[in-house]
Amino acid sequence: MLVDSPPEQRAETASAPPNRRAIRAFGLLVSLVILVLVALASIAIGAKALSLGEVWHGLFQDSGTYGDVVVADRLSRTVLGLLAGAALGLSGAVLQALTRNPLADPGLLGINAGASAAVVTAISFFGVTSLSGYVWFAFIGAAAVGALVWFLGGSRGATPVRLALAGTAISAALYGYLQAVMILDDAALARMRFWTVGSLASASNSAIQQVLPFLAVGTVLALALARPLNAMAMGDDTAKALGANLNRTRALAMLSATVLCGAATAACGPIVFVGLMVPHVVRSFTGPDLRWILPYATILSPVLLLGSDVIGRIVARPSELQVGIVTAIIGGPVFIYLVRRRRTAQL
């Protein structure tokens, strides 16, 4: 038997969602403006100091001067940072929804480990030295591990706990393999040292073109899963009652996260904490609705990644710190705070 709510409560319920939607939509607009400003800063600021006139000339003229070349490199770097940041944030949000763990990130399911192991294999056993070669090996490694985690997690009978356990076990094994190969092969160690830190410095139009189709497919798929993942957050029984196909949703969520994280890792190396921090922070002001979490994560994750990259260029002039180091420095304390706050809330 259904009990009708009082008129005052019905009126409040009817008026609240439009107000919340307007606030969230305005927040998305503000986030987009911040992203544009950070992207402009990424083009204008670097280890090599350039005037605004040189930056403007490099963007809209093609005279081949040193400043123009620097700006062209920064533009490729900024575009890759936008794409990789959005991919990492989206994959983190999807995995947190899939595992029902707000502190999950792409590394939880072994995707980063799969990409890293594939790259060190390519370097050590196949002599691959170019970024274009890394991209394909890293993507194949991430996809293979994603499929293996899905299989070990029970495939059609997969549950969040099984997937997390399978990913953790595979990550431990692959990182052991990676360390063993790097210790035994000095050449692989020298070449892998830069890639495993995570960096945007090797950005190129070729790398962007190679990963762009995968990022586009993964993004569309992730955004399309917002409603079924929302239903699954209420429990399997409720999700089934609402018409969600649990097995299909979990499989597609795994696929989208693997494609997004695999492509980003292939192009930039394993960059930590972006996929963990941004969706978790976004959830604090959007609530649990993935229809808002996913767009916010798509916009704000590049803000964190590009902002960290700009900081890395400034603090170590005339050299620079790789963006993976900066995000780790920022993410470590934030992660500790999130864990402590979550533990305090449970007490």
Side-chain angles (χ1 to χ4, degrees):
M1 178 177 181
L2 298 177
V3 179
D4 196 13
S5 56
E8 308 85 24
Q9 184 177 347
R10 291 200 303 270
E12 181 181 356
T13 303
S15 61
N19 292 336
R20 287 199 297 269
R21 284 196 295 269
I23 293 173
R24 290 168 178 170
F26 179 73
L28 274 178
L29 180 61
V30 172
S31 300
L32 188 60
V33 171
I34 295 173
L35 177 60
V36 171
L37 294 177
V38 173
L40 292 175
S42 177
I43 298 173
I45 302 172
K48 168 66 177 176
L50 296 176
S51 67
L52 291 179
E54 289 176 308
V55 172
W56 181 267
H57 189 274
L59 285 174
F60 299 103
Q61 303 291 331
D62 188 19
S63 62
T65 65
Y66 178 73
D68 296 343
V69 174
V70 171
V71 172
D73 289 341
R74 290 182 190 173
L75 184 60
S76 297
R77 187 170 180 163
T78 300
V79 172
L80 182 59
L82 290 170
L83 296 175
L88 292 172
L90 264 179
S91 62
V94 169
L95 289 177
Q96 287 175 13
L98 176 64
T99 61
R100 298 176 193 167
N101 181 357
L103 297 180
D105 74 335
L108 181 67
L109 297 186
I111 298 172
N112 285 345
S116 299
V119 169
V120 78
T121 300
I123 291 173
S124 184
F125 297 104
F126 298 101
V128 178
T129 58
S130 66
L131 178 62
S132 60
Y134 293 168
V135 166
W136 291 105
F137 274 92
F139 184 77
I140 292 171
V145 169
L148 183 59
V149 168
W150 176 251
F151 174 76
L152 294 179
S155 57
R156 290 186 174 275
T159 63
V161 174
R162 287 181 180 179
L163 292 174
L165 290 175
T168 301
I170 293 174
S171 293
L174 288 178
Y175 278 124
Y177 163 77
L178 189 150
Q179 294 299 323
V181 173
M182 291 175 66
I183 290 173
L184 296 174
D185 189 340
D186 292 338
L189 174 61
R191 288 193 289 265
M192 279 292 294
R193 185 182 297 118
F194 182 80
W195 188 85
T196 53
V197 170
S199 174
L200 299 176
S202 299
S204 66
N205 292 333
S206 174
I208 293 172
Q209 291 170 3
Q210 287 176 345
V211 300
L212 184 59
F214 299 105
L215 295 176
V217 171
T219 298
V220 171
L221 184 57
L223 294 175
L225 290 172
R227 288 183 180 275
L229 285 174
N230 272 344
M232 287 176 56
M234 294 184 286
D236 289 356
D237 293 337
T238 303
K240 289 180 181 178
L242 292 173
N245 187 319
L246 301 185
N247 293 328
R248 183 179 63 187
T249 300
R250 288 184 178 128
L252 292 177
M254 276 289 299
L255 177 62
S256 66
T258 299
V259 169
L260 288 168
C261 184
T265 303
C268 309
I271 298 176
V272 297
F273 287 117
V274 174
L276 183 152
M277 282 193 296
V278 176
H280 192 88
V281 172
V282 164
R283 193 179 296 107
S284 67
F285 58 84
T286 64
D289 191 345
L290 284 163
R291 292 174 299 176
W292 291 101
I293 293 175
L294 295 180
Y296 267 101
T298 304
I299 295 174
L300 292 180
S301 295
V303 170
L304 173 61
L305 187 60
L306 286 177
S308 299
D309 192 41
V310 171
I311 292 172
R313 300 181 216 172
I314 295 173
V315 298
R317 279 178 172 173
S319 184
E320 64 179 68
L321 284 177
Q322 282 74 30
V323 66
I325 297 175
V326 180
T327 58
I329 293 173
I330 296 174
V334 173
F335 180 73
I336 293 172
Y337 167 75
L338 293 176
V339 171
R340 287 181 61 86
R341 190 180 71 170
R342 180 171 172 81
R343 182 180 178 185
T344 302
Q346 292 175 342
L347 294 177

